[in-house]
Structure formats: C-alpha cells, structure tokens
Amino acid sequence: MVVSVPTTKQNDLSMSSIEHLFAYNKQWAANHVNDDPQFFKRLSDQQAPEYLWIGCSDSRVPANQLLGLAPGEVFVHRNIANQVVHSDLNCLSVLQYAVEVLKVKHIIVCGHYGCGGVIASMDNESRGLMDNWLRHIKDVYRFHREKLDAVTDQRERANLLCELNVMEQVANVANSSILRKAWDKNHNITVHGFIYNLHDGILKDLSVSVRG
C-alpha cells in the first residue's frame, strides 16, 4: 500500500483553512478562566455528570448548549437518528460506562424534528452502507404503520416518526441488560424521551420516562 505524504505547502494550506478554530479555542478557554479561574482545575480532577445524552449526530443539536449546561455536566453519545441498537457495542459501552462508572441519574434519548436519518428511512432509495443503519428506523415505521399512514402530510408524518423513534429508543434503553441490572440493584436512574425543535430551540418532553 502506498501512502501519500502531504508536502509542506499542502500542510500550510490545510492549516490555514482551520487556523481560526485554534483562535476560537483559545478565546473560549480564556473566557472560562476569566469567569472562573479554577474552572479547568475542577474539570480535569473529576468527571461526575448526572446526565447521559443519547442524541443525533446532527450538528444543529448540541447537547450541552441547548440544555444550558457547562462542560463536564453531560456525558454524550451521538449517532445518526439517535439509535440505541442492541448490536451497537459503541452505544452499549457508553451506556454501561455511564451507568456503572459515572453513576448517572438520568438518561436522555433526544431526537429532533426534521431529522435527515428519519426522513431518509421513509423512502426506498438506496444509500449504500447507511441502508443497514436506517433499517432500524424502517422497523419503527413498520411497528407503527397504521398510525403513520393515517397522516397525509409528509412533513407531519416525518415529525411523528421522529417522535415514535425516540419512544422506541427509550424502550430499547430500558430493556437493555445494563439498565435491568442497575434497577435490580435499586440504582436511581430514569430514562427520558425528548424531542428538539430546530425552528425555536425548544425541547419537548414526550412523557415516556421510565424508572425501574
């Protein structure tokens, strides 16, 4: 296998295109230190969040910011369309670490209206490897086909599927061996289902919380 090594000129060009990110980072760090000189000292000494956030990879749905919480207060796992799949060792490992090591008290599954993954699952277009992931959302549609097909407006139907998808993932978390084990030991953990509206920045509680 031949590996192409970037030249110095190429490196300079690539660095110049992202140099502003380092400037933003320095300003961000300086702002925190100005507000609280011990902020990074405390942050580096311990990680003790009360919340695990399982959300969509969509760049418009940042967990800490929309919850109004600081770094260190939310443990985060994100993937396309906020899925909790029992064969996904990445997600399950995050879940286990959050529950057994960090001892979180709340697990939030959060979807959002207008989710591209959910919308993509509603047609028969082939998207390659992604089709395997979208299959899980297609299953959600199949479980609720009668209810979804009764909605004639395509956008409203997609938004309903976004909500139903969150509800299914809450059930998947609650039915996982990790949560069942924790609840058997009387750990105080609640699983919640939220949905986020990109148009106004407001979270909605879908009222499907599960506790023990």
Side-chain angles (χ1 to χ4, degrees), residues 54 77 79 82-96 107 109 132-133 135-137 139-140 143 165-181 183 191:
I54 300 175
H77 175 77
N79 60 51
N82 43 273
Q83 298 289 288
V84 180
V85 180
H86 294 305
S87 59
D88 181 1
L89 296 182
N90 185 356
C91 181
L92 294 182
S93 296
V94 169
L95 182 60
Q96 181 178 9
I107 298 171
V109 179
N132 299 282
W133 188 256
R135 173 56 55 189
H136 301 293
I137 313 174
D139 286 341
V140 176
F143 299 155
N165 180 51
V166 170
M167 295 176 188
E168 289 291 339
Q169 307 319 314
V170 167
N172 286 345
V173 173
N175 286 317
S176 69
S177 59
I178 298 164
L179 264 293
R180 288 181 174 274
K181 178 182 176 182
W183 283 326
V191 187

Side-chain angles (χ1 to χ4, degrees), residues 122 140-161 164:
M122 297 174 70
V140 176
Y141 197 112
R142 180 167 53 84
F143 299 155
H144 303 277
R145 180 174 297 279
E146 185 175 347
K147 177 185 253 185
L148 287 159
D149 286 349
V151 180
T152 56
D153 182 84
Q154 182 72 10
R155 181 175 178 180
E156 290 182 8
R157 187 187 304 136
N159 285 341
L160 176 58
L161 182 54
L164 292 169

Side-chain angles (χ1 to χ4, degrees), residues 7 23 25 28 31 34 53 61 64 83 86 96 101 107 120 135 150 167 178-179 181 185:
T7 65
N25 167 251
W28 173 81
N31 289 341
N34 288 337
W53 173 279
V61 191
N64 284 71
Q83 298 289 288
H86 294 305
Q96 181 178 9
V101 179
I107 298 171
R135 173 56 55 189
M167 295 176 188
I178 298 164
L179 264 293
K181 178 182 176 182
K185 293 182 177 180

